[in-house]
Amino acid sequence: MFRSVRNDIKVIFERDPAARSIFEVLLCYPGFHAVRFHHLANWLWRRNIKTPARLVSHISRMLTGIEIHPGATVGEGLFIDHGMGVVIGETTEIGRNVTLYHGVTLGGTTWNKGKRHPTIEDDVVIGAGASVLGNIRVGRNSKIGSGSVVNKEVPPNSTVVGIPGRVVIREGSVYSDPEGVGGTPDPEGNAIRCLTEQVAALGKQIGLLTAEIESIKKTET
């Protein structure tokens, strides 16, 4: 337990330049408190002591503004920065060294039992207000932009932004993801696509008109 606490404090110093002292981290970091509460709640949950586990989780939410279901699996090195409004569902699996900012939701898309929340692999960063929904996997070392809504698989080493979420960088290179999020309307993407097609059509017409004018000028001379 003490090794885990030391590691959590070390992680905060590595990822938050505002951290000034261990004493400050112990007293003033709700993300740190929420993770510690979750370790206790999850310990109870795995031993089938369900109601006390939920009670610990509920107290944690009241004190920190962060809701982590006691059934969620959380790896070492989870850093929840600021934290207010973070929600982590029951069947969520979080790998090592993951960073979540405030307002992040790791939620489900079905009322059915079973695995219904996302799996977040190692070294993932999820920006403020982002939602990752459903039984999907976010590949290791990926980044989810603030305010994005993601409900399809994210390959490793990718950057996803927008509503619906689109992969814009993959393996360090710019990437085009024309499909967006499967099953989610993309009016903004459709509008941009229509405008692009219209601009291309107008450019083609202007080219034909220019060629015709040049042909007329040559004939007159």
Side-chain angles (χ1 to χ4, degrees), residues 101-141:
Y101 289 91
H102 57 279
V104 166
T105 298
L106 305 180
T109 56
T110 177
W111 292 344
N112 297 327
K113 300 287 187 181
K115 184 76 166 81
R116 59 190 185 279
H117 297 95
T119 296
I120 312 297
E121 294 187 352
D122 299 347
D123 303 305
V124 169
V125 177
I126 303 181
S131 296
V132 184
L133 307 174
N135 181 16
I136 63 171
R137 182 175 296 272
V138 177
R140 65 180 309 277
N141 200 39

Side-chain angles (χ1 to χ4, degrees), residues 144 148-152 160-168 177 179-182 184 186:
I144 308 297
S148 299
V149 177
V150 181
N151 63 2
K152 72 171 185 175
V160 176
V161 299
I163 304 174
R166 293 177 177 275
V167 177
V168 294
D177 181 13
E179 296 181 359
V181 176
T184 302
D186 185 10

Side-chain angles (χ1 to χ4, degrees), residues 149-219:
V149 177
V150 181
N151 63 2
K152 72 171 185 175
E153 300 283 326
V154 176
N157 305 304
S158 300
T159 299
V160 176
V161 299
I163 304 174
R166 293 177 177 275
V167 177
V168 294
I169 297 177
R170 187 170 177 180
E171 299 291 348
S173 300
V174 175
Y175 177 78
S176 177
D177 181 13
E179 296 181 359
V181 176
T184 302
D186 185 10
E188 181 180 332
N190 291 335
I192 292 172
R193 191 179 303 110
C194 289
L195 287 172
T196 302
E197 291 173 355
Q198 290 179 14
V199 169
L202 288 172
K204 185 176 181 179
Q205 291 179 7
I206 290 171
L208 291 174
L209 288 172
T210 301
E212 186 175 346
I213 291 171
E214 291 295 331
S215 177
I216 293 172
K217 286 182 178 179
K218 289 180 181 179
T219 303

